[in-house]
Amino acid sequence: MLRATFHGHSCVMATDGKYNIIIDPFLTGNPQAIINADEVKVDYILVTHGHGDHLGDTVAIAKRSKAIVIAPNELATYISKHGVKTHNMHIGGAFNFPFGRIKLTIAHHGSAAGEELIYTGSPCGFLVMMGGKTLYHSGDTGLFYDMKLIGDGNQIDLAFLPIGDNFTMGIDDAVIAVELLHPKIVVPIHYQTWPVIDAEPFEFVNKLKDFPTEVIILKPGESIEG
Ligand code: NI
Ligand code: MN
């Protein structure tokens, strides 16, 4: 069993009933979030890149929950300097954690933290094999053709893909991403948080209506069982 809960923007929590993980815990200042960072209790925090709308409340949640942060090496090193335990990984690498297996995938984007724009290496996406299911969270990225390798090499049950445009894929590119990844279910993320990424998710649903993939729009706080 794998239950994933969307918390607005790019934040996804997942549980197998025993372990709880959160991806990109941007809650403080996230206009879509309906929970506070201090309500979050997780075992692991996965961070795709250093931008504030993804790194978010990582340090505060990690300290309070005593959670381990999983991130690309440079970003994990930056986070560890804030007194948080990290597990450093990098693109293409996988590791078996107590809750499941994580593999880092490429993402075409930037990654710098804070107003000083401290370099935090390459951004990533995550393949999460947990509770007998495979979840893919692409992180912020443009469309890339290697999504075909990710889709052909893994039976993705649940994909979280940005559709907001401007900073990431827009709807038309996200439709091609679904073609390459062919997940069972896709959930659009990273849209309508701010006017500049004001994409309409029903347009995404409409463009995928003849695809075998099911599109599910989750409101913040809503869950899906993969
Ligand atoms: Ni970003
Ligand atoms: Mn972002």
Side-chain angles (χ1 to χ4, degrees):
M1 185 283 282
L2 179 71
R3 192 171 67 244
T5 306
F6 181 52
H7 283 297
H9 197 55
S10 206
C11 179
V12 176
M13 260 174 109
T15 183
D16 60 0
K18 185 174 179 207
Y19 290 98
N20 296 295
I21 68 167
I22 192 166
I23 304 171
D24 287 354
F26 167 54
L27 298 167
T28 305
N30 176 353
Q32 298 181 337
I34 60 162
I35 57 163
N36 289 318
D38 52 20
E39 296 170 59
V40 175
K41 179 99 181 70
V42 289
D43 303 293
Y44 291 86
I45 303 171
L46 283 59
V47 189
T48 60
H49 63 295
H51 292 163
D53 59 318
H54 299 261
L55 181 59
D57 299 292
T58 295
V59 171
I61 295 170
K63 280 187 173 166
R64 196 175 31 74
S65 293
K66 301 201 183 348
I68 296 170
V69 176
I70 301 168
N73 180 59
E74 293 82 354
L75 176 58
T77 302
Y78 168 78
I79 293 167
S80 72
K81 288 181 179 156
H82 292 81
V84 167
K85 198 169 170 198
T86 61
H87 183 108
N88 301 26
M89 297 184 70
H90 232 308
I91 313 294
F95 188 82
N96 293 321
F97 292 90
F99 65 88
R101 184 171 175 83
I102 298 282
K103 185 173 184 183
L104 266 60
T105 59
I106 60 167
H108 289 318
H109 195 65
S111 184
E115 283 177 11
E116 314 86 349
L117 294 178
I118 293 166
Y119 170 74
T120 51
S122 301
C124 77
F126 290 109
L127 275 166
V128 180
M129 280 68 92
M130 181 178 180
K133 301 288 178 180
T134 299
L135 179 156
Y136 173 58
H137 187 299
S138 72
D140 281 359
T141 186
L143 177 65
F144 54 92
Y145 195 66
D146 288 9
M147 283 180 179
K148 180 165 169 50
L149 291 174
I150 299 171
D152 290 352
N154 301 275
Q155 286 217 326
I156 299 169
D157 295 289
L158 199 48
F160 289 86
L161 301 178
I163 64 159
D165 225 334
N166 194 75
F167 299 114
T168 66
M169 294 187 283
I171 287 171
D172 287 343
D173 282 353
V175 167
I176 298 168
V178 170
E179 238 177 294
L180 298 173
L181 293 163
H182 44 83
K184 282 194 189 126
I185 295 168
V186 64
V187 178
I189 61 171
H190 213 275
Y191 65 93
Q192 293 184 358
T193 319
W194 302 288
V196 73
I197 54 170
D198 197 20
E200 174 49 67
F202 292 103
E203 196 186 310
F204 185 56
V205 173
N206 203 36
K207 288 189 169 169
L208 285 170
K209 67 178 185 306
D210 296 326
F211 283 58
T213 295
E214 185 185 357
V215 190
I216 295 184
I217 297 168
L218 292 180
K219 292 198 194 82
E222 286 184 343
S223 300
I224 183 174
E225 229 165 272

